Amino acid sequence: MSKKRVLSGIQPTHDSFHLGNYLGALKQWVEFQKDSDAFYCVVDLHALTVETDPKLLEKRTLLSVAQLLAIGLDPKQCTLFIQSHVPAHNQLAWVLECITGFGEAGRMTQFKDKSQKGGTDRTNVGLFTYPILQAADILLYQADFVPVGEDQRQHIELTRDLGQRFNNKYHEVFTIPAPQIIKSLAKINDLQDPNAKMSKSASSMAGVIELLDSSDAIIKKFKSSVTDAGKEIKFDEQGKPGISNLLTIASALSGKTIKDLENEYAGKGYGDFKVQVAEIAVEVINPIRIRTQELMADKAALLQLLKDGADKANQVASKTLADVYTALGLIKNG
Ligand code: AMP
Ligand code: TRP
């Protein structure tokens, strides 16, 4: 049986990925490369929906690639590339835009949230068509699965709708990606506000653990994490959101179950527990930071690796695009 095709993408909008990205999504990327045919892209074109200094975007794109390699993506086992290196993404996006309803695109919650916050005058059209470019990212590679978090469910549904619509209207070109989104390994919350998701857009970074944080910074953030009333180390999301979040993090990082951790730390104080979780985190994150720095030091090697990735991606993408163009009646050149 041939391997299932997996595709996912992440935006290079920040210098560092955070622990939520890592435990909620990226760790799974590493798992999927083992027994599926995985395509992973850093979606730099999507990042243009947020105005960024060009030098910064360049740096963040490379930093994103380096971090993905540092956490364990292996170019021998997966295809890792940058979205803008494969022109078919934009080309297919245009075709899909022409079969997407205006209202349909307007119903995407991420767009609604962002445009409501910014107002229509400060909202660019790219933000509106963003999910259609994402659909193109996925459909081009005939992906069976798209490992993403819950927040992306609606975009995957749109992708399925557009793929099916095209197939019915013109020709069976696209594989329709599986409806079920692979469950996150863990939902990680902010250390300072354990009822809110750990997020790059938090008002303060004090509760956000970044993969490129120094060991000292990580320890400091864990030590000052918000805990709860009482003193028992017990998983109780409602009553003890702070301790539960720390248990979730420790479990996801160490591979131990929450039950085992509760037993291990029974009778210990919150202070001790926080230090222990910090140590577990440092042990995982430190090598990732060091490896990222090493990779960043050889830009030529990174670019070569990305070129190889883009070559492989282009082969698959250009075949799909050619089938799409033929189905639409666009005349071949030559
Ligand atoms: P973002 O670029 O912030 O949307 O994050 C990229 C991916 O990381 C999302 O699709 C989620 O799957 C995952 N992710 C982000 N934040 C968290 C979190 N706090 N806990 C778990 N997963 C997360
Ligand atoms: N929109 C996704 C996010 O914010 C990123 C993304 C772009 C993506 N293209 C994709 C994810 C294709 C999966 C597949 O997380």
Side-chain angles (χ1 to χ4, degrees), residues 263-276:
N263 291 334
E264 197 175 325
Y265 295 113
K268 286 232 168 73
Y270 282 175
D272 272 356
F273 174 58
K274 288 200 256 184
V275 172
Q276 302 270 334

Side-chain angles (χ1 to χ4, degrees), residues 115-262:
S115 58
Q116 264 160 20
K117 270 188 211 147
T120 38
D121 283 344
R122 288 181 48 214
T123 302
N124 58 60
V125 176
L127 212 52
F128 184 64
T129 56
Y130 176 112
I132 307 172
L133 179 59
Q134 181 169 352
D137 297 342
I138 298 167
L139 294 172
L140 267 182
Y141 297 92
Q142 311 287 358
D144 299 297
F145 286 106
V146 186
V148 282
E150 180 61 34
D151 58 330
Q152 295 297 313
R153 179 184 292 275
Q154 207 190 20
H155 292 169
I156 310 302
E157 283 304 330
L158 178 73
T159 303
R160 287 170 50 79
D161 287 347
L162 295 178
Q164 254 148 7
R165 194 172 304 159
F166 186 96
N167 283 354
N168 293 341
K169 222 172 159 146
Y170 299 102
H171 190 70
E172 287 273 335
V173 172
F174 297 122
T175 302
I176 307 303
Q180 92 271 23
I181 292 166
I182 285 110
K183 276 255 172 285
S184 279
L185 297 173
K187 179 169 164 265
I188 307 301
N189 289 336
D190 190 293
L191 299 189
Q192 289 297 322
D193 179 6
N195 288 308
K197 202 175 109 164
M198 187 177 284
S199 158
K200 297 182 227 182
S201 47
S203 55
S204 146
M205 294 309 276
V208 180
I209 302 291
E210 298 194 284
L211 297 187
L212 301 182
D213 275 344
S214 69
S215 302
D216 285 351
I218 294 172
I219 291 168
K220 197 162 151 223
K221 286 178 183 177
F222 274 103
K223 274 191 178 163
S224 56
S225 63
V226 169
T227 42
D228 320 287
K231 45 187 183 200
E232 233 189 323
I233 294 172
K234 213 170 153 23
F235 191 86
D236 169 6
E237 265 183 320
Q238 297 294 314
K240 287 173 168 275
I243 291 296
S244 303
N245 188 36
L246 292 177
L247 280 167
T248 303
I249 292 172
S251 165
L253 286 171
S254 66
K256 293 179 183 171
T257 64
I258 303 255
K259 268 263 147 299
D260 284 348
L261 290 166
E262 283 175 344

Side-chain angles (χ1 to χ4, degrees), residues 62-75:
L62 287 177
L63 269 171
S64 300
V65 172
Q67 284 172 86
L68 291 173
L69 293 165
I71 64 169
L73 289 193
D74 174 0

